[in-house]
Amino acid sequence: MAEGTSRPDPAATDRIDSTVPHSARMWNYWLGGKDNYEVDRVAGDQIRELHPGILEYARADRAFLGRAVRHLSEDLGVRQFLDIGTGLPTADNTHEVAQRLAPDTRVVYVDNDPLVLTHARALLTSTPEGATDYVEADLHEPEAIVEHARKTLDFDRPMAIMLLGIAMFVADTDEARDIVRRLLAAVPSGSYLVLSHTITAPGLEDVDAAVAFWNSVGTPKLKQRTPEEVAAFFEGLELLEPGVVSCSRWRPDPLPGGGEPEEVAFWCGVARKP
């Protein structure tokens, strides 16, 4: 089984297929984690050969999570987060970033990967003033997610819906946008959408090749979208500056020599529900 620091849940472990590479475990591998299998590491290395920038891609998305949560918590006063498509626990998860700044923050994590479930207890640590919970549910069933999350979050108060690297696993674009709309319909004005997504664009042939390889061997299958299609997820919302951009360029920390970070093929945005 994968190496991890949490005691596995036997029922969840029985549902883990260690013969097929999985996106959550491969992401964990690229970020330096140990909750992955040989099949994930082999596929991950093959993808790195096709697209050497994949590590920067993964790190930029993770760093974006930290900056977005900090800004929402510290500058905008958000005290509730619904993090869908959690992935495997690493350093600086949503509740850790938010509760360092505001100990009374409440966070609900959502994922449908049984390996994530086996490590969910690592996500359930919380400050005494706040709360965290974990829901095993699927993005395709947003109403079920909301129903479970109501046990911890107050849907009469604003919150941030986090969809980092998860909408890209919904193949149909209209369906993906409808899911986002249904989630946003459940939260009040003043709530936020935080979304990141892999892109395709001219000049990104290595990214396209890496995605094609992934879809031939791994699960779940990944759907690339253009920057314009990613921006469409935010229609009807008030985008925060700098808009929909490469994850590396969303409110980046200053570089020692100045200038902007290199773009990565993973775009993101944060927007407010009016």
Side-chain angles (χ1 to χ4, degrees):
M1 61 174 290
E3 300 175 30
T5 57
S6 303
R7 186 173 57 201
D9 178 328
T13 303
D14 289 343
R15 294 186 285 118
I16 297 170
D17 186 349
S18 61
T19 66
V20 177
H22 193 281
S23 61
R25 301 192 308 251
M26 195 177 304
W27 206 256
N28 176 265
Y29 171 53
W30 287 328
L31 289 171
K34 296 181 179 180
D35 297 309
N36 47 74
Y37 297 89
E38 180 65 19
V39 67
D40 306 306
R41 296 187 285 273
V42 169
D45 289 341
Q46 289 173 297
I47 288 175
R48 285 177 64 185
E49 288 182 15
L50 293 167
H51 176 40
I54 190 64
L55 291 184
E56 285 72 26
Y57 175 121
R59 291 166 182 160
D61 185 53
R62 192 68 188 180
F64 163 65
L65 180 152
R67 295 196 303 274
V69 171
R70 281 202 309 272
H71 180 58
L72 289 167
S73 178
E74 193 168 34
D75 301 326
L76 300 176
V78 175
R79 295 296 180 264
Q80 300 190 110
F81 292 82
L82 179 57
D83 189 335
I84 305 173
T86 301
L88 289 159
T90 57
D92 278 349
N93 299 291
T94 297
H95 74 284
E96 294 168 321
V97 177
Q99 290 183 346
R100 275 200 300 268
L101 298 165
D104 60 336
T105 300
R106 305 177 75 84
V107 179
V108 171
Y109 292 103
V110 182
D111 208 293
N112 68 347
D113 180 358
L115 186 59
V116 178
L117 177 60
T118 69
H119 296 284
R121 60 176 52 84
L123 295 168
L124 298 182
T125 58
S126 176
T127 56
E129 303 94 327
T132 64
D133 195 9
Y134 177 83
V135 175
E136 186 180 15
D138 193 287
L139 179 62
H140 291 85
E141 300 175 347
E143 286 78 19
I145 290 173
V146 170
E147 180 182 352
H148 287 294
R150 285 187 189 279
K151 299 173 184 176
T152 304
L153 304 179
D154 181 354
F155 278 75
D156 292 325
R157 295 175 53 228
M159 67 183 68
I161 298 174
M162 313 281 291
L163 294 171
L164 272 63
I166 184 65
M168 62 193 192
F169 295 115
V170 179
D172 184 87
T173 297
D174 289 338
E175 181 184 8
R177 292 183 64 185
D178 181 61
I179 289 169
V180 173
R181 282 194 292 266
R182 286 154 66 190
L183 287 167
L184 286 166
V187 298
S189 174
S191 295
Y192 292 86
L193 172 66
V194 184
L195 182 144
S196 64
H197 198 298
T198 189
I199 64 160
T200 183
L204 295 180
E205 288 76 13
D206 59 332
V207 178
D208 297 342
V211 170
F213 172 76
W214 166 254
N215 286 339
S216 72
V217 301
T219 187
K221 307 305 180 188
L222 194 156
K223 172 70 173 180
Q224 291 170 280
R225 294 187 168 94
T226 64
E228 293 76 18
E229 288 174 319
V230 176
F233 283 108
F234 298 96
E235 284 184 1
L237 305 177
E238 300 167 350
L239 269 169
L240 304 189
E241 291 293 336
V244 179
V245 296
S246 169
C247 284
S248 58
R249 293 188 173 182
W250 193 90
R251 298 175 181 257
D253 297 324
L255 295 176
E260 285 192 297
E262 290 291 325
E263 286 192 340
V264 296
F266 215 70
W267 283 46
C268 68
V270 179
R272 182 183 182 276
K273 180 178 176 178

